[in-house]
Amino acid sequence: MAVPDTLSNRLTLPAIAAPMTSVSGPDLVIAACRNGVIGAFPTHNAATTRQLDAWLRDITAALNPDGTARIAPVAPNLVVHRTNDRLREDLDCLVRHGVELVITSVGSPQPVIAPLHAIGCRVFADVSSMAHVRRALDAGVDGLVLLTAGAGGQTGWANPFAFVRAVRPHFDGPIVLAGGVSDGASMLAAQVLGADLVYLGTRFIATTESSAGDDYRAALVESTLDDVRLSTRVGGIPASLLTAWLALDDESPPAIAAEGFQQDRLLRNRTAWSAGHSVAGVDAITSVDELVRTLTTQYELARNALAGFGRRPAADLISADANHGL
Ligand SMILES: Cc1cc2nc3c(=O)[nH]c(=O)nc-3n(C[C@H](O)[C@H](O)[C@H](O)COP(=O)(O)O)c2cc1C
């Protein structure tokens, strides 16, 4: 594993509860970390930098009051795009709290690397093309989050198989696969490809600890893969949205001509219902404890099935894999 032992030995699964606008707050982060999954959240989910400061204090008090607990890391997510007016203030706040892992999105991570490295913080950057990969590696990131086709939120377009295999020869550090991961089998598949960790976003929206509204969570359970549409309406760049929300919002879906990302536009559309193709794996609203238990069982089953490959008929592998309802 390219993830350092100091980090990986605090995880029960190779997974990050992905940062999600309007969805990830302290409750979700605390529940994920307690279950051995990295808990990420966008700093802009806190209404102000002052609230971000309070959230970080509360999260530390809940998870690791005396600094000795072996708990999965908390990973604040910074939107590094030039339209984020709060970038400098939020960055200073993360530095004051001595956070250990930051994930950057929408833009070059370059401006935040030096101040975060100075406090020993690792920086992972999300990327959706080989040009982004080169830019992030040149800036000195410690890890890459590969946004792939069908991911929830502001999605990627690259095929996950091709993207991981294209990046691995150029980078021996941590690679996180984002998009399409809804169960233990897909987690293991990502590792077989050469990724070290996966993002799970959509799957964590449908938990009792997420900040999503009841209607949104119910729509996730009802929706199928066919109910996910690409639209630039929310943040100005293509995002995966649920048809149920597009219908509620009562506007015809716009053409997919990107206008360019604008942070204020994203924040004005906080109520949008986004989900990735992984919505296919959401069949109930559960607690984070229960979700992680299910994922762990599925992951073990998939590992056993893979170990037995060649000795067992293919039909057995398929039935062992169909465990969404565990
Ligand atoms: C509702 C929603 C909001 C999101 N907001 C953010 C965000 O603020 N910052 C970010 O880096 N990614 C954001 N994402 C993308 C996720 O971090 C992640 O890449 C994606 O959910 C992975 O695909 P999956 O949903 O199929 O697991 C968001 C995704 C969703 C579904």
Side-chain angles (χ1 to χ4, degrees):
M1 215 182 179
V3 175
D5 289 348
T6 48
L7 205 149
S8 63
N9 64 19
R10 291 149 62 196
L11 304 182
T12 52
L13 285 170
I16 300 178
M20 291 181 283
T21 299
S22 304
V23 172
S24 336
D27 291 349
L28 187 54
V29 169
I30 291 166
C33 294
R34 279 201 175 125
N35 276 284
V37 167
I38 297 172
F41 72 101
T43 61
H44 59 245
N45 276 358
T48 59
T49 305
R50 199 186 168 95
Q51 187 178 45
L52 174 64
D53 187 61
W55 279 14
L56 288 167
R57 243 182 295 121
D58 293 347
I59 291 170
T60 305
L63 287 175
N64 202 3
D66 61 4
T68 59
R70 270 189 29 174
I71 293 280
V74 175
N77 159 233
L78 274 176
V79 169
V80 287
H81 196 261
R82 62 189 149 70
T83 57
N84 179 5
D85 301 337
R86 256 176 54 189
L87 176 58
R88 176 49 59 182
E89 253 185 291
D90 284 3
L91 173 65
D92 290 347
C93 180
L94 300 183
V95 168
R96 275 197 308 280
H97 280 268
V99 295
E100 60 176 311
L101 176 62
V102 162
I103 302 172
T104 66
S105 51
V106 217
S108 167
Q110 197 274 333
V112 305
I113 301 265
L116 290 170
H117 278 175
I119 59 158
C121 174
R122 292 192 175 86
V123 183
F124 288 11
D126 79 8
V127 290
S128 53
S129 68
M130 293 307 287
H132 291 169
V133 168
R134 273 191 297 278
R135 187 172 63 177
L137 294 182
D138 287 348
V141 297
D142 306 289
L144 294 169
V145 179
L146 308 191
L147 293 179
T148 67
Q154 292 169 349
T155 186
W157 68 274
N159 177 291
F161 282 83
F163 203 11
V164 176
R165 299 310 296 158
V167 174
R168 190 80 277 181
H170 302 285
F171 181 55
D172 61 5
I175 289 181
V176 185
L177 174 61
V181 179
S182 66
D183 61 12
S186 27
M187 255 181 225
L188 183 66
Q191 289 184 306
V192 171
L193 274 179
D196 302 285
L197 298 166
V198 296
Y199 254 13
L200 289 114
T202 299
R203 204 66 216 273
F204 275 93
I205 309 173
T207 60
T208 45
E209 291 88 345
S210 92
S211 315
D214 291 343
D215 291 357
Y216 181 9
R217 285 188 285 208
L220 290 169
V221 177
E222 294 299 313
S223 297
T224 72
L225 190 149
D226 292 351
D227 296 314
V228 177
R229 293 275 182 280
L230 267 187
S231 169
T232 56
R233 190 144 98 224
V234 170
I237 52 177
S240 303
L241 298 174
L242 285 182
T243 50
W245 182 76
L246 289 164
L248 271 184
D249 202 47
D250 203 23
E251 281 178 38
S252 54
I256 303 172
E259 295 163 27
F261 178 79
Q262 290 158 351
Q263 172 83 342
D264 59 343
R265 181 168 163 171
L266 173 71
L267 298 181
R268 275 200 310 276
N269 283 294
R270 280 173 192 271
T271 55
W273 294 354
S274 173
H277 291 174
S278 58
V279 74
V282 177
D283 52 14
I285 298 162
T286 67
S287 65
V288 169
D289 286 8
E290 200 179 332
L291 174 58
V292 174
R293 265 199 308 276
T294 301
L295 293 169
T296 306
T297 308
Q298 292 170 336
Y299 182 68
E300 289 309 322
L301 277 168
R303 270 159 62 129
N304 293 340
L306 201 64
F309 184 75
R311 281 186 277 121
R312 293 168 52 193
D316 282 7
L317 295 180
I318 292 162
S319 60
D321 192 45
N323 270 299
H324 291 310
L326 277 178

